[in-house]
Amino acid sequence: APLFSRSSLATYLKNRIRQLNFREPDQRAPAANSVSDDPNPEIESVFRFVLRDLKKKSSTYALYIPDFEYLANGESREKNSSIKTSLIIRSAAKSAGIPFARVDGLAESYRLTGNPPFGFPNNNIRSGHLNPIGHKLVAQAFVELIQAKCAIN
């Protein structure tokens, strides 16, 4: 799945970035015949650019919500694309000097309750937007991230 397919903010950013034809000053264009496993080899630079721009305007935190495959018996497995995306965003946030955290309680919540934190019973359960369980876990992770940042300062 494309990296920018998970939220309305991501859709907005994707459309704005596409219009910029952006390249950081220290970046060279990739060779026309270069081959990469990443569908967009400049994606970390794009995130770094966006995070630095956001940081200029207000306090900025990067909170990553991993994407899982939910299996039977409360088992789950983080998708490979999610792991890769997490590493890209973590690196971009570090480079931009922005606190980064992952919402790590999602799989544990599913294991304990059998209810995935994504989707709604009347729609596509186990995917889509966060449901109330997921919102609570994201809020908890965000509070912890802010508290950790405040404790440092």
Side-chain angles (χ1 to χ4, degrees), residues 97-125:
I98 292 172
F100 171 89
R102 288 172 43 98
V103 179
D104 285 328
L106 301 170
E108 180 67 8
S109 174
Y110 179 66
R111 187 183 70 73
L112 293 173
T113 67
N115 295 314
F118 290 92
F120 295 88
N122 65 343
N123 198 352
N124 188 6
I125 199 156

Side-chain angles (χ1 to χ4, degrees), residues 84-148:
K84 183 176 181 179
T85 301
S86 176
L87 294 173
I88 290 168
I89 295 173
R90 178 189 306 268
S91 178
K94 182 178 179 180
S95 176
I98 292 172
F100 171 89
R102 288 172 43 98
V103 179
D104 285 328
L106 301 170
E108 180 67 8
S109 174
Y110 179 66
R111 187 183 70 73
L112 293 173
T113 67
N115 295 314
F118 290 92
F120 295 88
N122 65 343
N123 198 352
N124 188 6
I125 199 156
R126 298 184 179 150
S127 67
H129 289 279
L130 294 167
N131 60 26
I133 296 168
H135 281 237
K136 182 178 178 182
L137 293 167
V138 169
Q140 288 171 340
F142 192 58
V143 166
E144 291 170 9
L145 179 61
I146 292 171
Q147 287 174 336

